[in-house]
Amino acid sequence: MIRIGLLGDIGSGKSFIANNFGHPVFNADIEVGKLYRKNKKIFVRLNKILPEYFHSFPIDKKDVSKAILASDLNLKKIVKIIHVEIRKKLLLFLKKNKRKKILILDIPLLLENKLNKKKDILIFIQSKKSEILKRLKKRENFNQKLLNKFKKIQLPLDYKKKKSQFIIKNNFIKKSINNDIKNILKKI
């Protein structure tokens, strides 16, 4: 099984590109959303450590944002709880898809949380900063301060780029993305 990890800035189009590979995708952001909506144990744990922010289930993402904006320590506490569950979900995904030839890992903190393996193929998604910001501002819950907090816990983009075996320049045009993907899949 070949594991392909996608790296890049927040809003660079990692999920867009992941979904164009035509192989099973583990999308950590989607899994986190499911945890907030469906996992009562997560709520209980968050409520225990941050009761002033988490008081009803399912967890509202606005409450998560408020907690994170209030303190960097809150972000660390939330990440610590969520990360354990995401790791479990990833292991289930890998087990379920162990016979697949290629798997795509769309995990924003792939390197930071040491979820990658030495043999993983890493692809850096490069996008213009102006395009990223334009796309992020279209998101329903866009908040610049929140974005800055998330960027602070990520490794520098230059480091991620150096660690990558391939780079996809994302212009958000499906045809050119598919050509880049096809060329990478031929090489691996």
Side-chain angles (χ1 to χ4, degrees):
M1 167 201 335
I2 297 169
R3 295 170 25 144
I4 297 176
L6 300 182
L7 308 174
D9 204 357
I10 297 168
S12 62
K14 292 181 296 293
S15 298
F16 170 72
I17 287 171
N19 294 328
N20 280 287
F21 265 91
H23 293 282
V25 175
F26 180 81
N27 183 314
D29 287 343
I30 288 174
E31 294 302 324
V32 169
K34 286 180 192 172
L35 289 176
Y36 290 149
R37 288 189 313 276
K38 299 177 180 177
N39 191 319
K40 189 101 180 192
K41 281 194 314 191
I42 292 291
F43 165 72
V44 170
R45 291 182 66 202
L46 288 173
N47 173 261
K48 189 174 181 176
I49 61 160
L50 296 167
E52 62 275 30
Y53 299 102
F54 301 103
H55 22 72
S56 65
F57 182 78
I59 297 168
D60 187 334
K61 277 193 169 184
K62 287 177 185 162
D63 293 335
V64 178
S65 297
K66 285 178 193 170
I68 292 169
L69 287 169
S71 141
D72 288 346
L73 185 61
N74 289 353
L75 173 59
K76 285 180 183 156
K77 289 177 181 179
I78 293 167
V79 167
K80 192 174 179 185
I81 288 170
I82 297 299
H83 174 69
V84 172
E85 292 302 315
I86 291 302
R87 190 177 285 273
K88 287 179 194 172
K89 297 258 186 199
L90 173 61
L91 291 173
L92 275 172
F93 170 82
L94 294 171
K95 194 174 181 181
K96 180 182 150 199
N97 293 288
K98 69 180 175 207
R99 301 217 186 285
K100 302 286 187 196
K101 187 180 172 193
I102 295 174
L103 298 177
I104 310 301
L105 306 179
D106 180 6
I107 306 172
L109 298 173
L110 182 72
L111 299 181
E112 291 84 349
N113 288 327
K114 295 171 179 55
L115 293 170
N116 60 308
K117 301 268 189 239
K118 202 172 182 76
K119 290 182 180 178
D120 288 355
I121 305 289
L122 300 177
I123 301 173
F124 185 79
I125 311 306
Q126 187 173 319
S127 303
K128 289 181 182 169
K129 295 259 182 252
S130 59
E131 189 63 34
I132 290 172
L133 198 57
K134 190 170 86 177
R135 291 172 47 77
L136 286 173
K137 285 180 178 179
K138 288 180 186 174
R139 290 185 182 177
E140 189 182 327
N141 297 325
F142 175 74
N143 180 313
Q144 186 68 50
K145 287 180 184 171
L146 203 56
L147 178 67
N148 294 342
K149 289 217 181 225
F150 284 125
K151 282 186 178 216
K152 269 205 280 188
I153 64 168
Q154 293 193 348
L155 290 166
L157 294 176
D158 287 345
Y159 175 81
K160 290 181 178 187
K161 196 173 183 179
K162 280 181 194 153
K163 283 283 191 194
S164 300
Q165 289 92 336
F166 298 97
I167 295 171
I168 291 179
K169 288 190 165 118
N170 189 5
N171 56 9
F172 300 96
I173 297 169
K174 196 174 172 99
K175 189 175 181 180
S176 82
I177 297 304
N178 286 340
N179 285 337
D180 288 347
I181 289 170
K182 215 181 291 177
N183 289 333
I184 290 170
L185 289 175
K186 280 181 198 170
K187 292 176 184 175
I188 56 175

